[in-house]
Amino acid sequence: MEILRHQHEAESAHRDTSLENKSQSIKEKIVAEDITLTAAQLIVQCLENEGVEYIFGLPGEENIRLIDAMKDSTIRFIVVRHEQGASFMADIYGRVTGKAGVCISTLGPGAINLLLGTADAFTDSTPLVAISAQVGLNRIHKETHQVIDLLNMFKPVTKWAGMIVSSAAIPEMVREAFEKAKTERPGAVYLCVPEDVEAISGLTGLRPLSQSYEADSMPGSSQIAHAAHVLQAATKPIILAGHGAVRDHAGDALVRFSERLRIPVATTFMGKGIFPDDHPNSLGTMGFMKHDYVNFGFDEADVIVCVGYDLQEFDPVRMNPNADKKILHLHRYPAEIDTHYPVTVSVEGNISAALDELAAIVTPKEGLDAADRKIRNLLKEELEYGAHTDAYPVKPQRLVSDIRAVMGESDIALVDTGSLKMWMARLYPTNQPNTCVISNGLSTMAFAVPGAIGAKLAYPDRKVLAVTGDGSFLMNSQELETAIREHIPFVVLIWVDGAYGLIKWKMDLELGHHSFVDFGNPDFVKYAESFGARGYFIEAAADLLPTLKKALSEDVVSVVVCPVDYSENIKLTNKLGQLMQPI
């Protein structure tokens, strides 16, 4: 984790220095030259000033001036094949960098298509700025061609939504959008640009506003003292680390805290990697749909230390069904009110500082017991089974094992929603944050392929793998063309079962049968090749690992197609259902 922290700091420092130099040159140019700008040019300069390097989107009749103004800017505009893809690219770019990803569309149907990725960023606490055109102010008041109330459409899925009604408002509103997107809890914002405002020319005396920097907020001493008192009295504490800990870069402090106090740690799906899975205090990942091994650790706990846990990650009834456990809430902001999340003490502020201060004054606990070690061993046994089974179609456990074997510690796997998410979240050993990227706020399908473009642009030196099902893949597969045209290499691994597998699993589990979940597929290899990508079909389990190695080593876009045996789904839930007694 210490190596990761230094790596993250170096990458951030490089990006910040580069962006600071760009921003300074922009300001110097504006001051040095008494230039006349159009509103579109001013918006672009404001975006440059915010450090925006990439914008994902599509041109439309009503935003042509804004799109055109980017051709001479420092911003790389990525033309996509669908606005939904643009929103997911911006979403994942923001997720893995902590900077606001930016997507843009025209009005009406284009703006509507931005909604899904915008909502995903909002529920996953990811900074994102969505920008769309709108009809001119001269006709927005009446029912006319392509008019729809975009502000009220975006408000439910954003932290803030605003419309630029005058050129003088541009610097302030762009600055406000980025400030709100990045402030904890981060999320999506929306900015609407009417066509006649975008077309204004002859502007002088307007320039981007300076970014503000706030001092870090430290946890209060009384909060720390109260939390320490509760933790000191605990007989069986457990830690749940969530996405907020990832955003706050609290990994090193979390390891110190767990080691010092000898308390086991579980993570949420979105918190994977903030505590290394190879650490002896790790219990794995919490959030599976049934009572999984790690749940038994929470059953026995009397105090749950929730570190950066966001309620939208998964329902707290799953970890505290009787609402009888004491909750220590360590986060940047207060907790949501929930019957099964009765906060005993809320410690708000810098998470690392809170963990270090608590660790210094609380007496160490007994450490992992036999049940905790059994949890670790059961997960290990599943993964080892995967490594040694040659069954075909390929078992999910084998897919997870081979993916882990071929990916480096800092390489990024984006895991789409479906049955595969459950297998990857449970079993994929993750030792660094944001290297197993899962959406568990909105849990939307089809983000992985376009999201891989955002991830690869953010970290071009890392391998990027989009892990997706055949249902999700075809929802946004057109973005393969975007990746090939823009030379953004990554690999797609499709788990093929010819069905909406997670719904099939749920139906079989709860109804005893399934219906309306099956579909047909094209020849995915030929489909990939028709775009200019490389296609591979896995014909035996032994072919998977070498094929993934080959695909990931090449500087091209590749699609690896692997039939999967999802009969393991019901076997897993049946096995877990039989574990009625504490482990």
Side-chain angles (χ1 to χ4, degrees):
M1 292 300 293
E2 191 68 24
I3 294 173
L4 172 62
R5 183 175 65 82
H6 289 311
Q7 177 183 335
H8 171 79
E9 289 174 351
E11 289 173 340
S12 297
H14 175 74
R15 283 198 302 267
D16 291 346
T17 301
S18 173
L19 295 176
E20 184 179 337
N21 291 338
K22 284 183 180 179
S23 178
Q24 186 62 32
S25 66
I26 294 163
K27 292 175 183 176
E28 288 172 354
K29 181 179 179 181
I30 294 170
V31 173
E33 303 176 18
D34 185 18
I35 56 176
T36 300
L37 299 173
T38 66
Q41 290 171 330
L42 179 58
I43 292 171
V44 170
Q45 288 189 352
C46 289
L47 294 172
E48 288 179 307
N49 184 61
E50 295 294 336
V52 175
E53 296 179 281
Y54 305 100
I55 294 180
F56 310 95
L58 273 173
E61 291 181 64
E62 293 77 16
N63 68 0
I64 56 175
R65 292 168 182 82
L66 182 55
I67 299 295
D68 188 61
M70 280 187 269
K71 73 178 187 300
D72 298 320
S73 76
T74 58
I75 297 169
R76 181 178 171 186
F77 184 64
I78 306 293
V79 179
V80 303
R81 301 309 302 268
H82 194 287
E83 293 90 349
Q84 185 183 116
S87 65
F88 283 134
M89 293 172 202
D91 176 16
I92 299 304
Y93 180 86
R95 172 93 175 261
V96 300
T97 64
K99 296 167 51 181
V102 183
C103 54
I104 191 168
S105 77
T106 188
L107 79 179
I112 291 171
N113 286 341
L114 284 182
L115 265 178
L116 184 55
T118 302
D120 192 63
F122 176 67
T123 55
D124 282 357
S125 303
T126 295
L128 178 145
V129 177
I131 303 171
S132 88
Q134 180 55 295
V135 300
L137 295 174
N138 62 324
R139 63 184 179 99
I140 197 171
H141 61 282
K142 58 187 177 182
E143 185 176 334
T144 184
H145 182 61
Q146 290 194 306
V147 165
I148 197 165
D149 189 346
L150 296 176
L151 277 181
N152 281 319
M153 186 178 74
F154 274 90
K155 279 179 180 178
V157 295
T158 55
K159 292 178 66 179
W160 174 84
M163 182 190 300
I164 299 175
V165 295
S166 73
S167 57
I170 290 171
E172 293 176 344
M173 295 191 73
V174 173
R175 180 81 280 279
E176 184 168 10
F178 279 83
E179 189 69 20
K180 280 185 163 57
K182 292 186 289 186
T183 302
E184 193 69 34
R185 172 168 81 95
V189 301
Y190 169 67
L191 198 57
C192 181
V193 187
E195 182 181 15
D196 50 6
V197 173
E198 183 207 51
I200 293 172
S201 61
L203 300 180
T204 58
L206 294 173
R207 63 187 62 181
L209 300 182
S210 299
Q211 297 185 34
S212 59
Y213 296 92
E214 294 183 5
D216 203 359
S217 60
M218 293 294 113
S221 57
S222 62
Q223 294 175 326
I224 293 293
H226 192 184
H229 176 75
V230 173
L231 192 53
Q232 188 66 63
T235 58
K236 192 76 169 70
I238 192 170
I239 299 165
L240 178 67
H243 188 219
V246 175
R247 300 193 303 269
D248 218 38
H249 308 293
D252 291 337
L254 182 59
V255 170
R256 292 192 296 269
F257 182 83
S258 173
E259 290 178 345
R260 157 77 178 152
L261 299 187
R262 298 199 289 268
I263 302 176
V265 180
T267 71
T268 64
F269 283 12
M270 292 175 64
K272 278 182 72 68
I274 192 61
F275 191 84
D277 279 332
D278 63 2
H279 193 286
N281 287 0
S282 172
L283 294 184
T285 307
M286 184 80 164
F288 185 56
M289 61 176 140
K290 298 296 286 185
H291 205 75
D292 206 350
Y293 310 133
V294 68
N295 290 77
F296 288 105
F298 287 82
D299 292 344
E300 299 299 306
D302 59 338
V303 173
I304 305 176
V305 184
C306 293
V307 182
Y309 162 67
D310 301 320
L311 250 67
Q312 77 271 22
E313 296 187 70
F314 80 101
D315 195 332
V317 71
R318 308 269 292 283
M319 63 175 169
N320 190 15
N322 300 317
D324 57 350
K325 303 182 189 304
K326 293 182 177 179
I327 303 289
L328 299 185
H329 176 82
L330 277 62
H331 215 316
R332 286 284 184 174
Y333 58 88
E336 291 283 338
I337 303 300
D338 188 283
T339 300
H340 296 275
Y341 197 70
V343 175
T344 308
V345 185
S346 181
V347 181
E348 295 157 28
N350 184 287
I351 295 175
S352 294
L355 290 167
D356 285 338
E357 290 182 35
L358 279 173
I361 57 178
V362 176
T363 303
K365 302 300 174 181
E366 294 183 2
L368 272 66
D369 59 17
D372 295 326
R373 287 187 285 273
K374 182 71 176 294
I375 290 169
R376 287 180 54 83
N377 287 335
L378 285 167
L379 289 169
K380 183 180 178 182
E381 287 169 9
E382 279 195 45
L383 200 58
E384 288 179 347
Y385 165 71
H388 296 99
T389 176
D390 288 324
Y392 186 85
V394 180
K395 302 286 187 184
Q397 300 94 323
R398 175 65 182 261
L399 276 150
V400 177
S401 177
D402 284 3
I403 293 169
R404 180 67 280 175
V406 78
M407 297 286 279
E409 290 292 323
S410 63
D411 293 336
I412 301 172
L414 298 97
V415 182
D416 237 321
T417 295
S419 291
L420 60 92
K421 180 173 86 168
M422 297 301 170
W423 289 103
M424 287 288 289
R426 293 180 66 251
L427 296 182
Y428 186 71
T430 309
N431 297 323
Q432 296 182 12
N434 283 329
T435 58
C436 182
V437 179
I438 296 172
S439 169
N440 220 43
L442 195 61
S443 289
T444 181
M445 295 174 69
F447 80 88
V449 171
I453 293 175
K456 188 66 176 181
L457 287 172
Y459 294 104
D461 295 332
R462 301 190 193 185
K463 297 174 187 174
V464 174
L465 178 67
V467 185
T468 187
D470 44 2
S472 292
F473 174 69
L474 281 181
M475 292 181 180
N476 271 316
S477 59
Q478 71 280 352
E479 301 307 339
L480 291 177
E481 191 280 327
T482 303
I484 292 164
R485 170 174 28 89
E486 295 286 344
H487 192 69
I488 305 170
F490 63 93
V491 175
V492 181
L493 173 60
I494 309 174
W495 297 29
V496 176
D497 69 320
Y500 294 111
L502 185 59
I503 308 306
K504 188 174 186 176
W505 189 355
K506 189 82 168 178
M507 279 185 160
D508 287 343
L509 188 62
E510 297 190 7
L511 306 179
H513 64 274
H514 58 266
S515 54
F516 306 111
V517 293
D518 299 307
F519 50 74
N521 283 314
D523 184 325
F524 284 124
V525 171
K526 290 181 179 178
Y527 183 74
E529 291 173 345
S530 73
F531 284 100
R534 293 184 183 168
Y536 303 90
F537 187 85
I538 302 302
E539 296 182 345
D543 295 340
L544 178 60
L545 184 61
T547 302
L548 284 174
K549 280 183 178 178
K550 174 178 171 57
L552 285 163
S553 69
E554 296 172 333
D555 191 35
V556 297
V557 177
S558 296
V559 176
V560 179
V561 184
C562 184
V564 58
D565 177 11
Y566 275 143
S567 67
E568 292 293 311
N569 292 354
I570 289 296
K571 291 179 184 177
L572 173 63
T573 44
N574 285 344
K575 176 183 177 182
L576 294 176
Q578 294 166 5
L579 293 173
M580 301 305 293
Q581 298 300 317
I583 292 176

